[in-house]
């Protein structure tokens, strides 16, 4: 159940080997798996159908290249098609006369108000003078919610009691123009696309003011209905972009494919956390692998790179190759791992099977284990760290006592260290090929 | 009463019908079952967010019935589908409100509709002649406390509120203590929305749960997960994670008046054995009704325009 598409396709193709062309029967079998993977990712049934037929067309008769096995080739085609459907990321459109209006629309609970705050913060940091407008007179405390966010960000919020949203939007634009604001962000009430009166209200707003952007805010966890919801909003107003929220969850986010297929407008931003700075631009490749259940390896690598101390790493690598890897290096590496963020988040970014496995690890236990390891190494003398062989029974007892652990814990760490050392020695002998294959 | 309820379900879901009318009527309108019938049926089940696994199981069951019972007409297939769907949902057990006070903890992901649902629950229990106290323990989201406060004022229900960024555990403790001293029968505690993948936030929720138990032995007596009916396959992961963290005892399906059909209820019921207690069928306060599996299945099929 938790196999990745790669693993499933590998099974489909076991008999084919690496020669000839992909036959129709092979492709049929593969397409069944592709279809299931996409449906599991919440891509709409009809959208999947079209998508799979495109991939099939490209796959049949495709030369099996020597570099990739058939499974990898199909994945490559699927991935390319996904990336093409998702489209290039687009920046917010801030052209036109100031103040430019950004209008947020979407279902109840999709995350519009939080997105308004986040976008306000982002644009202000780029030098814009931002005003927020609370145009949700219906949900209790919706206005207070935006005001609270505005206070926290020190961004003014325009409200008017008893004024309906179309007039309110117009008033806000006039006020913004007078006040020298360059961007106005209009937070509208959540509504179902089936609610005719409220959908007409959106139309009424856009006859009074001319938004530079109308962003449809969509919860990444949404299911098959994404298609109809997107259609409903597209028919009411001219959507110019998408914001996918709650991307920090573990939904696969296939709705992005559905909505893109319906609206054709670019995905502009992703909401990735509770903090007001948790707003990211989007990368089609990363989202494609997420939809395929292949994890966010690029995100993981980026995170590692961002925290990695190049100089230290260089020095370590040199010593490593000389066979001088010590417990001190081990401790430094652990520290760098910790800098990448909470283990729970790092574990979530692992692909498919590994990600699922990782989810069974209690991140708190894992953190505890890391802390224990650090404590043990910190309780060693310099000599012991550089030459762990000197650790006899009495030294081990001292280290255990000093780190608040047991001699068993110390022994376990020493064994891990020896294993790692053995691996590096092997690596030195045979180059990277000597490493066990980590990623299928 | 039952008829009245069904009527409520129907009006709540009428909007849905309008938008997607007539797809299955094509299937079931034709008298003979063909390959096309099965394909369309699969499409409709999957598009209801029932999920691939459950859809496949339902299809297999129907194939078996078709061949063993010799079904040839689509109307017979419809009946079989209805029975199969119905058999996959339990009638929720009656609520045990014997504890005084009975403490209900409301949990869910961000934006699922917790606060609005609590207001509706408050009205529901009060209409049954119970005294109700609300606890606003979502101290995290901007203005969440104000939102529940406004509902409490409108409903004229007492409420204990937390300070912004205050300790949600303390709020739940105070709420329960206050209910005990005032002799209130039902306590409903609102918590901040959180994604089930956020370890620290789930830990915080566990703490709220534990603290409730310290205020009153056996509390919270019920933990209800509010789920947005538009949610796709992630619903099962959500429900599983919340169940593991705070022993969820039941589910409320909110926003069922949207165009979504809430099909993930089947997998949640089956795999996690969680009863679905209530359904949210609209924005008005009395648009929360006890979950009625008959009506739910009927409305899914009705929705298909038969």
């Amino acid at each position: 159940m938790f196999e990745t598409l790669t693993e499933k396709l590998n099974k489909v193709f076991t008999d084919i080997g690496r020669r000839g062309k992909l036959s129709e029967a092979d492709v049929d079998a593969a397409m069944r798996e592709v279809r299931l993977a996409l449906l599991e990712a919440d891509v709409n049934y009809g959208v999947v159908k079209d998508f799979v037929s495109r991939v099939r067309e490209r796959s049949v008769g495709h030369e099996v290249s020597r570099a990739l096995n058939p499974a990898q080739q199909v994945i490559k085609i699927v991935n390319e098609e996904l990336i093409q459907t998702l489209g290039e990321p687009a920046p917010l459109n801030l052209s036109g006369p100031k103040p430019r209006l950004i209008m947020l629309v979407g279902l109840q609970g999709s995350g519009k108000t939080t997105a308004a705050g986040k976008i306000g913060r982002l644009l202000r940091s780029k030098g814009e003078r931002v005003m927020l407008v609370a145009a949700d007179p219906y949900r209790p405390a919706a206005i207070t919610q935006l005001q609270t966010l505005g206070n926290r960000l020190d961004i003014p919020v325009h409200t008017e009691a008893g004024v309906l949203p179309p007039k309110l939007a117009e008033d806000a634009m006039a006020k913004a123009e007078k006040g020298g604001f360059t961007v106005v962000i209009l937070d509208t009430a959540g509504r179902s696309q089936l609610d005719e009166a409220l959908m007409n209200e959106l139309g009424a707003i856009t006859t009074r003011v001319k938004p530079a952007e109308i962003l449809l805010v969509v919860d990444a966890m949404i299911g098959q209905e994404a298609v109809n919801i997107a259609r409903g909003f597209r028919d009411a107003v001219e959507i110019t972009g998408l914001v996918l929220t709650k991307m920090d969850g573990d939904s696969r986010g296939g709705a992005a494919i559905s909505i893109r297929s319906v609206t054709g407008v670019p995905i502009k931003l992703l909401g990735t956390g509770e903090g007001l700075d948790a707003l990211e631009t989007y990368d089609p490749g990363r989202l494609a692998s997420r939809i395929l259940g292949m994890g966010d390896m690029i995100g993981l690598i980026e995170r590692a790179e961002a925290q990695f101390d190049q100089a230290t790493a260089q020095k370590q690598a040199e010593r490593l190759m000389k066979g001088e890897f010590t417990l001190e290096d081990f401790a430094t590496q652990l520290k760098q791992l910790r800098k990448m963020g909470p283990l729970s988040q790092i574990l979530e970014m692992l692909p498919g099977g590994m990600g699922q496995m990782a989810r069974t690890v209690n991140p708190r236990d894992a953190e505890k284990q890391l802390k224990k390891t650090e404590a043990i190494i910190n309780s060693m003398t310099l000599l012991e760290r550089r030459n762990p062989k000197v650790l006899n029974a009495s030294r081990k007892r001292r280290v255990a006592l000093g780190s608040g652990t047991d001699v068993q814990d110390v022994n376990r760490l020493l064994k891990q260290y020896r294993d790692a050392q053995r691996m590096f020695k092997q690596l030195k002998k045979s180059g990277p090929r000597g490493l066990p294959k980590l990623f299928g | 009463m039952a008829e009245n309820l069904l009527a409520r379900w129907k009006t709540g879901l009428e909007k849905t019908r309008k938008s997607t009318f007539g797809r299955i009527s094509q299937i079931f309108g034709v008298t003979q079952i063909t390959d096309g019938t099965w394909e369309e049926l699969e499409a409709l089940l999957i598009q209801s967010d029932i999920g691939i696994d459950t859809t496949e199981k339902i299809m297999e069951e129907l194939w078996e019935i078709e061949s063993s019972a010799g079904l040839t007409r689509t109307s017979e297939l419809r009946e079989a589908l209805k029975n199969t769907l119905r058999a996959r949902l339990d009638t929720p057990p009656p609520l045990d409100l014997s504890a005084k006070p009975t403490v209900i903890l409301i949990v869910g992901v961000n934006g699922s509709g917790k606060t609005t649902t609590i207001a509706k629950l408050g009205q529901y229990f009060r209409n049954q002649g119970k005294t109700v106290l609300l606890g606003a323990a979502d101290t995290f989201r901007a203005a969440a406390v104000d939102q529940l406060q406004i509902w409490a004022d409108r409903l004229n229900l007492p409420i204990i509120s937390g300070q912004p960024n205050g300790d949600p555990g303390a709020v739940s403790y105070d709420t329960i203590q206050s209910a005990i001293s005032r002799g209130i029968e039902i306590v409903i505690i609102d918590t901040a929305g959180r994604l089930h993948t956020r370890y620290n936030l789930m830990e915080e929720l566990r703490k709220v749960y534990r603290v409730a138990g310290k205020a009153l032995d056996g509390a919270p007596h019920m933990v209800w997960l509010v789920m947005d009916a538009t949610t796709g396959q992630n619903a099962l992961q959500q429900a599983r994670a919340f169940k593991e963290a705070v022993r969820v005892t039941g589910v409320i399906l909110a926003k069922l008046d949207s165009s979504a059909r809430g099909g993930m209820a089947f997998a949640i019921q089956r795999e996690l054995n969680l009863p679905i207690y209530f359904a949210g069928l609209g924005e008005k306060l009395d648009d929360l009704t006890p979950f009625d599996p008959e009506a739910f299945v009927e409305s899914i099929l009705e929705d298909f325009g038969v």
Side-chain angles (χ1 to χ4, degrees), chain B residues 15-87:
Chain B
K15 298 183 222 163
T16 319
R17 279 205 297 283
K18 255 194 255 167
S19 75
T20 52
F21 79 89
R23 291 220 40 206
I24 256 202
S25 68
Q26 291 158 8
I27 306 177
F28 291 126
V30 192
T31 47
Q32 293 296 317
I33 300 170
T34 64
D35 284 351
T37 317
W38 292 106
E39 209 188 312
E40 285 273 324
L41 192 56
E42 183 199 50
L44 286 155
L45 292 175
I46 285 177
Q47 287 184 348
S48 301
D49 288 317
I50 281 175
I52 300 161
D53 286 351
T54 312
T55 296
E56 280 178 351
K57 279 179 202 147
I58 291 173
M59 298 283 285
E60 273 161 31
E61 248 173 78
L62 289 175
W63 279 324
E64 211 146 282
I65 295 170
E66 185 211 21
S67 57
S68 66
L71 305 187
T72 54
R73 301 171 67 87
T74 51
S75 55
E76 294 167 332
L77 186 62
R78 179 189 188 269
E79 199 56 28
L81 171 64
K82 190 174 122 183
N83 294 336
T84 306
L85 290 176
R86 175 61 187 89

Side-chain angles (χ1 to χ4, degrees), chain A residues 1-2 35-37 39-42 44-46 49 107-110 114 138-141 144-146 148-149 152 190 192-196 198 219 221-225 228-229 246-252 272-274 342 344-345 348 356 359 362-365, chain B residues 15-16 18-20 39-40 42-44 46-49 52-53 56 109-112 116 140-144 146-148 150-151 154 165 193-201 203 228 230-238 240 255 257-261 271 283:
Chain A
M1 181 178 181
F2 294 135
R35 178 175 174 272
L36 289 181
L39 288 173
E40 273 169 10
D42 286 324
N44 175 270
Y45 186 86
K49 219 171 184 181
L107 297 182
Q108 293 96 336
S110 57
T114 306
Y138 313 107
R139 183 170 62 89
T144 323
Q145 186 183 350
L146 193 65
T148 310
L149 292 179
R152 211 176 283 168
S192 158
Q193 86 280 9
L194 303 174
D195 189 325
E196 252 174 70
L198 280 180
D219 185 328
M221 297 181 282
I222 199 166
Q224 293 284 321
E225 275 302 295
N228 292 324
I229 291 159
K246 307 179 205 174
M247 286 292 286
D248 47 332
D250 58 358
S251 64
R252 300 261 292 273
T272 55
E274 303 250 1
S344 57
Q345 272 182 38
E348 271 165 32
Q356 289 294 344
R359 234 158 264 149
N362 180 340
R364 203 172 47 172
D365 290 349
Chain B
K15 298 183 222 163
T16 319
K18 255 194 255 167
S19 75
T20 52
E39 209 188 312
E40 285 273 324
E42 183 199 50
L44 286 155
I46 285 177
Q47 287 184 348
S48 301
D49 288 317
I52 300 161
D53 286 351
E56 280 178 351
V109 299
N110 316 61
S112 60
T116 309
F140 181 79
R141 182 173 62 90
D146 304 64
Q147 189 182 344
L148 195 61
I150 292 171
W151 281 119
R154 281 187 201 170
N165 298 316
R194 66 201 75 223
L195 292 185
H196 52 289
T197 48
R198 290 280 175 188
Y199 186 79
N200 292 340
L201 295 178
E203 278 298 293
D228 185 330
T230 57
T231 312
Q233 299 312 297
N234 195 242
L236 192 59
Q237 275 143 271
Q238 271 175 43
R240 189 175 287 133
K255 308 186 207 175
D257 58 320
S258 67
S259 58
R261 297 170 193 113
E271 292 195 29
E283 300 208 303

Side-chain angles (χ1 to χ4, degrees), chain B residues 77-201:
Chain B
L77 186 62
R78 179 189 188 269
E79 199 56 28
L81 171 64
K82 190 174 122 183
N83 294 336
T84 306
L85 290 176
R86 175 61 187 89
R88 288 176 171 269
L89 292 171
D90 295 338
T91 304
L95 293 177
D96 177 6
L97 305 174
S98 55
K100 290 280 177 299
T102 299
V103 178
I104 305 169
L105 190 66
I106 303 293
V107 301
V109 299
N110 316 61
S112 60
K114 287 175 296 302
T115 308
T116 309
T117 299
I118 288 170
K120 291 175 179 175
L121 283 172
Q123 156 129 330
Y124 174 83
F125 285 121
R126 203 200 31 206
N127 287 352
Q128 296 195 333
K130 305 274 183 198
T131 49
V132 180
L133 176 66
L134 304 181
D138 178 358
T139 53
F140 181 79
R141 182 173 62 90
V145 170
D146 304 64
Q147 189 182 344
L148 195 61
Q149 179 78 53
I150 292 171
W151 281 119
D153 292 346
R154 281 187 201 170
L155 288 162
N156 201 18
L157 288 176
I159 181 171
I160 304 290
S161 293
Q163 290 303 311
N165 298 316
D167 174 15
V171 181
S172 69
Y173 189 90
D174 291 349
T175 310
I176 295 168
Q177 286 286 310
S178 166
I180 294 169
S181 65
R182 294 194 222 181
I184 279 171
E185 292 161 296
I186 305 232
V187 174
I188 311 173
I189 297 170
D190 190 14
T191 61
R194 66 201 75 223
L195 292 185
H196 52 289
T197 48
R198 290 280 175 188
Y199 186 79
N200 292 340
L201 295 178

